[in-house]
Amino acid sequence: NMEFIDWRYDDGTKFNGEKMPDNNVKLYANYKSESETEDVINIVINLTDGRQIFLELYRNIAPITVNNFMKLVDYNFYSGTIFHRVIKGFMIQAGGFTLDGYNILSKGDVAPIKGEFAANGVQNNIKHEAGVISMARSTQMDSATSQFFICSDDSPHLDGSYAAFGVVTEGIEVVDKVANVRTDWYDKPYEKVIITLPDEYFVGAGLEIDKFSVFVIAVCIVCVFIAFRLWSKYGKDEQVI
C-alpha cells in the first residue's frame, strides 16, 4: 500500500502549489510505502541459482538510505543486476550493473542521496562488521545512488565514512562463497552472480541459457517431433504388414 505525500518536479524538488508550472513541465506524485513507516525492515536478496541472503534494514538509523533502497526494490531496479566487484576478505558489491556476455552494462541513472555517516555530519552507529550492508559511493560525500556492498569481513576503516544501513540475519555463508569466487585484475568475478526476483526462480534455476542454446534446444525438439511423427506413420505400417 502506498500513501500519497506530495507532488514533485523531475529533479525531485517539491511543488508547493503557489503557481501552476508551464505545460511542458511534468509533475510526479510522491508516495510513501508501508516500509517507510517501519523502523526495521526485513528483506531477502535472491540469486538466480536459488541462494538467498536475508537482511534487516534499520530505517531508524539511516532513513534516507533505507527509503531510497526500498523504493528501488519496489521498482524492481535490482532484478538482473550482478555482484560486479568482489574483494576476498573485504566485501561484495552490487546494484549498478547488468551483464551482456562478459561485459557489464550500467543499469541506469539514479539520483544521489545524502550520505548518512559521521564524516558527513550524520550520526550512524552501525559498525562495518562481517554481514553489514552499506552504500557504495565516490569520493563525494553525497554521491551514493543504487550500489551497495556487503562486508564479508570486519572493515573498521569504513566506520563513519560510509552509510551502513543493515545486517545479514541469514545466509552469511552465501556472502562468504561469493566473496571467494575467482576474479580478474579489476575485481570482477568470472562467475556470474545475478540478483533476481522471487517469482523468477524458475528462470535458469542456476543454469544460464543463452540465445544460441535456446535455438539448439528448439531445433532438437522439432527433430524429435518429426521423428516421432514419421515413426508413427511408417513404423506402425511395417508392423501391420
Side-chain angles (χ1 to χ4, degrees), residues 86-89 92 175-183:
V86 169
I87 302 178
K88 184 177 180 180
I92 60 176
V175 176
D176 290 336
K177 287 182 179 179
V178 175
N180 282 277
V181 300
R182 212 163 50 90
T183 60

Side-chain angles (χ1 to χ4, degrees), residues 91-116:
M91 60 89 217
I92 60 176
Q93 183 173 333
F97 298 93
T98 58
L99 271 179
D100 179 18
Y102 186 65
N103 299 315
I104 60 174
L105 304 175
S106 175
K107 177 74 175 185
D109 295 329
V110 176
I113 59 175
K114 181 176 179 60
E116 294 179 300

